[in-house]
Amino acid sequence: MTLDKLTGGLPLARLISIVAIAMSVYHLVTAYFGTPIAEVHLPVHLGFALVIIFWVYRSAGTGAWRYLHALRDLTLTAMAVGGCSYLAFNADEVQQRMLYFDPLTTEQLVYGCVLILAVLEAARRVIGWPLVFLGAGALGYALFGNLLPSPFWHRGYSLQAVIETTYLTQDGLWTSPLRVTASYVFLFVLFGAFLVASGAGVFFTDLARSLTGKFTGGAAKTAVVSSALMGSLSGSSAGNVVVTGSFTIPAMRKAGFPGRFSAGVEAVASSGGQFMPPVMGSAAFIMAEFIGIPYIEIAQAAIIPAILYFISVLAMVHFEARRLGLKPEGGSESALRVIKQRGYLLLSVVVMLGTLSSGYSPSLAALYALGTLVVTQLLFEPAMRSEFVGNCLKAMDQAPRIIGQITIASAIGGIIVGVVTQTGLGLRMSSIVLDFSQGYLPLLLVLTMLCGIILGMGMPTPAAYIILAVLLAPGLVEVGVPLLAAHLFVMYCAGISAITPPVALASYAAAAIANADPWKTSLTALRLGLASFIIPYMFVFGPAILGIGDTSQMIFDSLAALVGVLALAAALIGWFLIVLNSLIRLVLLSGAILLIMPGLTGDITGAILITGAVAYCWNKARQAEALNIQQTQG
């Protein structure tokens, strides 16, 4: 018996596409007419995602193993559909049982167990063992925490109690991470898929090239700008590398940049997309739900740090191009011409921002942006009309495949959140970290960042953020860090793992395109993205750049940080007007760190150091120029 026979003669790939398109249609319909109650909406979303994962991420096997693998995947599909369908079809009963404290039935226990097992297996397939160990470890902790010593001890819970919390309440699988993914994030992912299908990747690359291509290092600057534009909408580091990197990395290599540097630039720029408004990846939507601050306020607060991040990368690209002696390329189209050709693609982004700024829900903003994109494409590109239906179906097929990783990360995150809440681990973890750091904020921040990088290795940013937000962000708030600054700090910690060895997914994806060594690419990306490790400390110690506090202080801190990141870029690349020796690089690095970290004394000291280094470089550059003129005339 073949898989085609199992599916009634329909090719498996086509069947998966039908299920994926059905998932997209479901979300579009519910976004327009209103979502069902959570007990229906979330299981339907998770069920769709699980089915797609089990048949997209599968090992077909050979010979007799092929049938065993098919049977395994069919069993997992039945487990996922059964566990989710029970809740969707018995939503009223599930709601009522909590009012009367009805005991868990055998049927509910079985469905809960099989769904949790299906989620863990899906996590193994799309993310890897680390997240599986975290999810299974959390469940094991809930069951056997009574065997642990203090301060991790708790009274222990029965299997029935753990399954009840995880499966039948809003404190487990169905907590805010999955709710946000199902209600908001999917629509933004679908919008991103429509953008890619409409050729937005090429448009953003052309627009970036028109703005930067005539300058020194233009090819690499094009990569930074195009990846920032596309990454701010897609929010996926590795995914954005694949979309824009296929254009930008070959262009950088052709312009004279080394392969690992080209790949590192693309990885760092794509990773920065999840910090750049308007979309910022799904972690920002989950953050809004966690801390009760409207998403648009989070996006506004994140603007200055994100701009500093990309200015740092652009400066490093410029200094590297000058160090290598590369010349401006020229020959690119004007920005006005590019916008005239396909500028309608920007209108959908404007509609999204306008809807969010007006106070409407993110789901409505994504829906309006998607509708605007579809209508404008039909109006302004007659040549695309013949391909319109195919492009729409392609986008609706692709989005559910992309959302699977985020959905499973959110589900596992929900399990962890439920266990932390049920056992009281969150309060104890904050106390443990605070005790270890003795309440000393710099040490506490360093410990939090290390945990974030380790948890984020090989893991999507939303999953790492959820864990950090539950376990460590409360400790930061407890020692006086503003709530928004604390959660943005842990989001940066979770996001920079995409470029941090040894498991740097964005760097590995870029290295594959550039045919470069993955480890060397990761180290190069780490150096190029060093600002992302410093900026989070900057807005914790100086939250004015997040718009918290006085406007004049925000302007002063932002300008000081701007000079700091430029000096940091020069120190790391080793060029500013001249090739820098080790002493000048050290002076610039010290001054940069002092300027980036807010504080009047540090700002004055940092400014003096940087001014001295710049004066030295300028003087040496003039001497070299005068000598060159003398030699030429002689």
Side-chain angles (χ1 to χ4, degrees):
M1 180 180 290
T2 64
L3 283 175
D4 288 354
K5 291 182 178 178
L6 288 173
T7 58
L10 191 65
L12 181 61
R14 185 168 297 179
L15 181 61
I16 296 171
S17 295
I18 291 172
V19 174
I21 292 170
M23 183 180 185
S24 295
V25 170
Y26 166 79
H27 279 279
L28 287 172
V29 170
T30 55
Y32 184 79
F33 292 103
T35 57
I37 60 174
E39 286 79 5
V40 174
H41 184 54
L42 302 187
V44 169
H45 173 83
L46 180 60
F48 268 123
L50 287 171
V51 171
I52 292 169
I53 285 170
F54 290 141
W55 292 99
V56 171
Y57 297 88
R58 57 185 300 269
S59 173
T62 57
W65 288 106
R66 178 175 52 175
Y67 304 109
L68 292 175
H69 287 182
L71 180 61
R72 174 202 60 192
D73 293 333
L74 285 171
T75 303
L76 287 166
T77 301
M79 291 166 61
V81 172
C84 292
S85 298
Y86 176 82
L87 291 177
F89 287 117
N90 297 276
D92 292 337
E93 179 185 338
V94 171
Q95 286 182 326
Q96 291 296 321
R97 70 174 296 279
M98 297 307 297
L99 296 176
Y100 301 106
F101 302 99
D102 292 339
L104 191 74
T105 65
T106 302
E107 184 181 29
Q108 292 166 345
L109 178 63
V110 171
Y111 277 126
C113 287
V114 297
L115 182 59
I116 291 171
L117 289 174
V119 168
L120 291 173
E121 168 59 14
R124 183 193 68 80
R125 294 191 182 195
V126 298
I127 299 171
W129 284 107
L131 193 58
V132 177
F133 289 145
L134 284 172
L139 294 170
Y141 176 72
L143 292 169
F144 306 111
N146 59 315
L147 303 177
L148 297 176
S150 179
F152 298 102
W153 179 93
H154 65 80
R155 65 184 180 86
Y157 293 89
S158 66
L159 177 63
Q160 288 79 1
V162 173
I163 296 301
E164 180 177 27
T165 299
T166 304
Y167 179 60
L168 291 176
T169 74
Q170 298 297 307
D171 294 326
L173 281 168
W174 322 110
T175 48
S176 55
L178 191 62
R179 184 164 59 249
V180 170
T181 300
S183 301
Y184 307 149
V185 177
F186 181 86
L187 292 171
F188 282 98
V189 170
L190 184 60
F191 172 62
F194 268 84
L195 273 175
V196 172
S198 65
V202 177
F203 166 71
F204 284 135
T205 301
D206 290 343
L207 179 60
R209 186 181 295 113
S210 69
L211 296 171
T212 62
K214 298 177 183 178
F215 298 101
T216 302
K221 291 174 182 176
T222 296
V224 175
V225 175
S226 61
S227 296
L229 292 170
M230 195 66 192
S232 66
L233 298 174
S234 70
S236 170
S237 301
N240 192 51
V241 166
V242 175
V243 172
T244 59
S246 58
F247 303 102
T248 60
I249 290 176
M252 283 187 276
R253 298 202 66 176
K254 184 179 179 181
F257 288 100
R260 66 173 181 270
F261 185 86
S262 303
V265 168
E266 181 59 46
V268 171
S270 293
S271 297
Q274 58 196 333
F275 309 134
M276 173 65 84
V279 176
M280 299 173 62
S282 57
F285 294 102
I286 297 171
M287 185 192 304
E289 189 78 13
F290 265 166
I291 64 180
I293 294 178
Y295 171 77
I296 189 64
E297 293 184 19
I298 294 175
Q300 290 170 347
I303 289 176
I304 294 177
I307 290 174
L308 290 172
Y309 177 95
F310 281 104
I311 286 177
S312 171
V313 181
L314 283 170
M316 290 194 198
V317 163
H318 178 78
F319 294 149
E320 178 69 7
R322 294 301 301 270
R323 190 183 69 83
L324 294 173
L326 303 182
K327 303 297 182 183
E329 298 168 38
S332 59
E333 289 185 288
S334 69
L336 184 60
R337 181 179 176 86
V338 174
I339 292 174
K340 280 183 177 180
Q341 289 175 342
R342 304 201 70 191
Y344 72 86
L345 290 168
L346 296 174
L347 185 60
S348 59
V349 180
V350 173
V351 169
M352 179 203 299
L353 292 173
T355 307
L356 286 170
S357 301
S358 300
Y360 292 98
S361 68
S363 58
L364 200 59
L367 191 63
Y368 285 173
L370 183 57
T372 303
L373 177 63
V374 170
V375 171
T376 51
Q377 189 172 13
L378 284 173
L379 290 176
F380 294 107
E381 287 213 32
M384 297 286 288
R385 290 173 187 170
S386 60
E387 305 173 9
F388 175 73
V389 174
N391 285 339
C392 288
L393 292 176
K394 181 180 178 181
M396 293 169 72
D397 180 23
Q398 192 64 28
R401 300 169 191 258
I402 298 171
I403 200 67
Q405 188 182 69
I406 301 174
T407 297
I408 297 305
S410 299
I412 297 290
I415 292 174
I416 296 171
V417 170
V419 169
V420 167
T421 303
Q422 187 176 28
T423 62
L425 176 63
L427 295 175
R428 288 198 298 278
M429 182 59 71
S430 295
S431 299
I432 292 167
V433 175
L434 287 172
D435 290 343
F436 188 83
S437 64
Q438 296 295 307
Y440 183 57
L441 182 56
L443 179 57
L444 178 59
L445 293 172
V446 170
L447 291 173
T448 301
M449 177 166 281
L450 288 174
C451 290
I453 293 171
I454 293 171
L455 286 172
M457 287 181 180
M459 193 182 299
T461 300
Y465 166 74
I466 292 165
I467 297 167
L468 291 172
V470 172
L471 295 179
L472 298 179
L476 297 178
V477 175
E478 191 173 330
V479 297
V481 178
L483 180 64
L484 179 56
H487 280 262
L488 277 175
F489 182 90
V490 299
M491 189 183 87
Y492 265 77
C493 294
I496 57 182
S497 64
I499 58 171
T500 306
V503 185
L505 296 182
S507 298
Y508 292 171
I513 296 174
N515 195 25
D517 181 86
W519 181 255
K520 292 181 179 178
T521 298
S522 298
L523 293 177
T524 302
L526 185 65
R527 177 165 59 97
L528 292 170
L530 189 62
S532 62
F533 293 83
I534 298 175
I535 288 173
Y537 294 91
M538 181 177 63
F539 56 66
V540 167
F541 290 110
I545 67 166
L546 298 180
I548 300 174
D550 186 60
T551 303
S552 59
Q553 187 66 45
M554 177 186 70
I555 295 173
F556 179 82
D557 287 352
S558 299
L559 290 175
L562 175 60
V563 176
V565 297
L566 292 175
L568 176 69
L572 292 174
I573 295 300
W575 190 95
F576 181 75
L577 300 177
I578 60 171
V579 176
L580 303 180
N581 59 42
S582 299
L583 178 60
I584 296 300
R585 293 178 73 173
L586 181 61
V587 171
L588 282 172
L589 180 62
S590 302
I593 293 174
L594 288 170
L595 269 180
I596 289 173
M597 307 304 289
L600 185 59
T601 303
D603 288 344
I604 294 173
T605 306
I608 292 172
L609 290 174
I610 292 174
T611 301
V614 169
Y616 172 84
C617 295
W618 183 74
N619 184 51
K620 286 291 185 181
R622 288 197 63 185
Q623 291 177 5
E625 184 180 358
L627 180 61
N628 185 51
I629 291 174
Q630 288 178 1
Q631 292 175 345
T632 302
Q633 291 176 346

